Amino acid sequence: QEPSTKRVKPLSRVTSLANLIPPVRATPLIKTPPVFSQRSISFRSDSRPDLFSPRPWSRNVPPANTKRRDSKLWSETFDVCVNHVLTSKEIKRQEAIFELSQGEEDLIEDLKLAKKAYHDPMLKLAIMTEQELNQIFGTLDSLIPLHEELLRRLQEVRKPDGSTEHVGHILVGWLPCLNSYDSYCSNQVAAKALLDHKKQDHRVQDFLQRCLESPFSRKLDLWNFLDIPRSRLVKYPLLLREILRHTPNDHPDQQHLEEAINIIQGIVAEINIKTGESECQYYKERLIYLEEGQRDSLIDNSRVVCCHGELKNNRGVKLHVFLFEEVLVITRAITHNEQLCYQLYRQPIPVRELVLEDLQDGEVRLGGSIRGAFSNNERIKNFFRVSFKNGSQSQTHSLQANDSFNKQQWLNCIRQAKEKVTCAGKAGVLNSEAHFLLSPNGSKRPQGETTLEQMDQSDCESDCSMDTSEISIDCERMEQTNSCENEKQIETNV
């Protein structure tokens, strides 16, 4: 019972019964978790125009209700009593198979929506030319029949009660057709650059803003729809492993699922390599040299961009830095012939001769006449220094990252690039001097060369410390070579 001394607010003082009803909280918007990606590390600028910011040509209309996509479960979709018939593991297996099938349905719906709501209207309204739209959308149309075929096969083997017995043989027969993703993924770098450039046109920006405010978009912009196929591609290994994890060892699908996982892993790895080469070629073609002396064969021979992104020097100048396999290129982003290009800011720096320093916060002061005078006492954060000296040529650059995580990514990428170049250089020296190792059967065989690999894990730092001094005896050469190969094997496994 409440104490009799408690003060009670008289009902007569309440002006409205609505004040007695507690406010109803709106349901929070469910956000999709980030999709796993196996592409190379890129540090891109966040200075692109924001679609959510108001535009002078945008309509002043209230936001529309977002068309959300409800997640579906197998046990909820098929109204059958299976709890007493199937084991818990089998129910989880059916859920995983249904998730694969439902994902194909959603993918097909999104691809058709991208064509119907974006491509066709922009072509009909002449917002973009047919050539520009073909560059941005790539081979999107050809992907729809592929996934419709898989969905049809999965639905054919589904029993009337909603359960599916075998899917492994279907996946083994269908997965090889995903090789056609090669051209679509390789085109994405150029497609994204062209789309960002066309957003500067107020007609394009207005059209995309209207679509973003419409319920069908689910608050996703055009590029989210264009990137869905790549996201789906790298998700297949995870989906198949989940089905395999809940499949009994004596099930006929066991062997087929293992084979299917090997197939999709090989396809994803091959597409990653070709996409990386396409990205590297794209940026090499957009480098602008102020003089012929800036051209470097290390740039021409590069096949992979290890990382790239916007950094600032100690004077606050925005630079776009590229780390290729064997050379660091510092540029400034400019617009040339209505295209975003990168003009070399200084002479390219060979990674082999680059000196990297991790600077403590406050160790670098801002430069510039006026800015430096008022900022000398400020503690500057997230700086690192790269320097290079070769005869009369010398360079020193203090570069500032956006945050501590971004700085650490750069440090790790540069260190790994130096280790790879050092390992490859030592292996080349031993091969050129015609040194041989004895194989187990006693015959002579040349020592294997160390190859340069794409750095997909930028935050994995190796403890390998290589020295370029002379090696006096063959034993030391063999030890250092084996150590170098072991370090590369560990990095590849990671």
Side-chain angles (χ1 to χ4, degrees):
Q1 296 180 356
E2 297 183 354
S4 59
T5 58
K6 180 179 179 182
R7 295 183 179 180
V8 179
K9 187 176 182 180
L11 185 60
S12 59
R13 298 182 63 179
V14 180
T15 58
S16 172
L17 289 177
N19 294 333
L20 298 176
I21 304 175
V24 179
R25 294 182 179 180
T27 305
L29 183 64
I30 300 176
K31 294 183 179 181
T32 306
V35 180
F36 167 71
S37 176
Q38 299 180 355
R39 295 187 63 186
S40 60
I41 299 298
S42 297
F43 312 121
R44 293 179 172 84
S45 167
D46 296 330
S47 60
R48 298 191 181 95
D50 187 5
L51 289 179
F52 292 97
S53 59
R55 304 288 174 179
W57 55 82
S58 298
R59 300 175 301 165
N60 295 323
V61 296
N65 294 327
T66 304
K67 179 184 176 183
R68 301 176 186 176
R69 176 175 285 159
D70 298 329
S71 59
K72 298 180 181 179
L73 297 177
W74 173 77
S75 56
E76 297 175 352
T77 303
F78 299 95
D79 189 16
V80 291
C81 184
V82 297
N83 294 333
H84 302 293
V85 179
L86 302 178
T87 63
S88 174
K89 186 172 184 178
E90 180 59 28
I91 293 176
K92 292 180 179 178
R93 182 173 182 269
Q94 293 300 324
E95 293 285 4
I97 295 175
F98 182 74
E99 182 182 359
L100 173 65
S101 175
Q102 187 63 35
E104 293 300 303
E105 253 184 77
D106 295 341
L107 174 64
I108 295 169
E109 179 183 343
D110 285 338
L111 297 184
K112 289 182 176 179
L113 177 64
K115 185 177 187 306
K116 181 179 179 180
Y118 290 93
H119 178 280
D120 294 348
M122 284 193 289
L123 180 61
K124 186 176 182 180
L125 298 174
I127 295 177
M128 289 192 199
T129 65
E130 185 175 3
Q131 182 180 1
E132 291 171 338
L133 290 172
N134 290 339
Q135 176 70 57
I136 292 175
F137 285 81
T139 57
L140 186 73
D141 284 349
S142 64
L143 303 181
I144 298 176
L146 299 180
H147 296 280
E148 287 180 333
E149 175 66 16
L150 175 60
L151 180 61
R152 182 186 64 80
R153 295 185 187 182
L154 292 176
Q155 291 175 343
E156 285 178 353
V157 297
R158 183 181 294 165
K159 297 180 180 179
D161 62 356
S163 62
T164 302
E165 185 67 23
H166 304 287
V167 295
H169 66 289
I170 295 177
L171 295 169
V172 170
W174 177 80
L175 284 173
C177 72
L178 292 181
N179 284 308
S180 59
Y181 265 72
D182 182 1
S183 58
Y184 183 81
C185 294
S186 298
N187 178 64
Q188 279 197 302
V189 177
K192 183 67 166 66
L194 179 58
L195 179 60
D196 288 340
H197 174 69
K198 294 301 296 184
K199 285 180 181 179
Q200 300 175 13
D201 184 345
H202 73 89
R203 293 187 65 207
V204 175
Q205 181 61 50
D206 184 38
F207 177 84
L208 296 179
Q209 182 67 28
R210 290 170 184 265
C211 292
L212 193 64
E213 295 169 353
S214 301
F216 69 82
S217 69
R218 307 195 306 275
K219 296 299 181 184
L220 301 176
D221 62 13
L222 173 57
W223 183 251
N224 288 125
F225 286 100
L226 296 178
D227 196 47
I228 284 176
R230 183 198 60 82
S231 301
R232 181 66 177 176
L233 179 66
V234 296
K235 194 176 180 181
Y236 280 121
L238 304 179
L239 293 171
L240 300 190
R241 288 195 192 98
E242 185 66 15
I243 299 175
L244 179 62
R245 190 163 67 94
H246 300 296
T247 301
N249 295 331
D250 57 347
H251 197 283
D253 259 3
Q254 181 79 17
Q255 183 177 355
H256 285 145
L257 287 173
E258 291 177 352
E259 183 181 354
I261 291 174
N262 291 332
I263 293 174
I264 187 60
Q265 284 179 335
I267 292 175
V268 171
E270 183 66 21
I271 292 178
N272 275 335
I273 294 174
K274 293 184 178 180
T275 302
E277 293 176 351
S278 175
E279 180 184 23
C280 181
Q281 185 63 30
Y282 173 84
Y283 287 116
K284 287 196 300 183
E285 292 175 353
R286 277 150 185 80
L287 293 178
I288 297 180
Y289 301 91
L290 294 178
E291 56 186 22
E292 286 299 319
Q294 291 180 332
R295 296 186 179 274
D296 196 316
S297 60
L298 294 178
I299 299 177
D300 298 334
N301 297 333
S302 297
R303 300 179 61 189
V304 174
V305 181
C306 301
C307 60
H308 70 94
E310 186 178 279
L311 298 170
K312 294 181 181 179
N313 63 9
N314 60 331
R315 290 180 170 271
V317 178
K318 292 183 179 181
L319 305 172
H320 199 99
V321 182
F322 295 90
L323 177 62
F324 294 95
E325 295 161 301
E326 297 187 55
V327 61
L328 183 76
V329 183
I330 301 177
T331 71
R332 296 184 66 174
I334 64 171
T335 301
H336 180 68
N337 293 335
E338 297 186 354
Q339 284 188 344
L340 180 63
C341 297
Y342 305 92
Q343 178 179 293
L344 265 69
Y345 183 71
R346 290 290 185 271
Q347 194 74 14
I349 302 177
V351 171
R352 185 188 304 276
E353 301 170 13
L354 180 148
V355 178
L356 177 65
E357 297 178 70
D358 183 3
L359 302 180
Q360 299 298 321
D361 292 343
E363 190 172 343
V364 176
R365 304 296 179 183
L366 291 179
S369 57
I370 299 179
R371 184 176 182 180
F374 290 95
S375 307
N376 282 336
N377 295 327
E378 293 185 5
R379 291 179 59 84
I380 307 302
K381 297 182 178 181
N382 308 319
F383 266 94
F384 63 94
R385 181 178 292 136
V386 293
S387 56
F388 159 71
K389 186 174 183 179
N390 185 4
S392 60
Q393 297 182 359
S394 63
Q395 295 184 50
T396 301
H397 303 277
S398 297
L399 303 173
Q400 184 184 29
N402 295 331
D403 49 46
S404 58
F405 177 77
N406 186 260
K407 170 187 172 181
Q408 195 60 44
Q409 294 268 2
W410 275 103
L411 294 175
N412 291 339
C413 277
I414 295 175
R415 286 167 182 162
Q416 290 181 7
K418 285 184 64 64
E419 290 168 2
K420 287 177 177 291
V421 170
T422 304
C423 290
K426 288 190 175 182
V429 168
L430 295 181
N431 288 332
S432 64
E433 294 181 358
H435 284 272
F436 291 85
L437 299 178
L438 289 177
S439 60
N441 59 8
S443 60
K444 291 184 178 181
R445 61 178 177 85
Q447 181 182 339
E449 296 181 356
T450 306
T451 59
L452 294 174
E453 301 175 352
Q454 181 178 350
M455 292 186 294
D456 289 328
Q457 300 290 342
S458 65
D459 55 347
C460 174
E461 185 175 354
S462 174
D463 294 331
C464 176
S465 177
M466 295 299 169
D467 189 4
T468 56
S469 59
E470 294 185 21
I471 305 174
S472 58
I473 58 176
D474 290 343
C475 292
E476 292 178 1
R477 285 174 175 161
M478 293 170 60
E479 291 175 358
Q480 293 195 9
T481 303
N482 292 334
S483 174
C484 179
E485 291 179 345
N486 291 336
E487 291 293 340
K488 286 186 63 57
Q489 185 62 37
I490 292 173
E491 182 181 353
T492 303
N493 292 338
V494 172

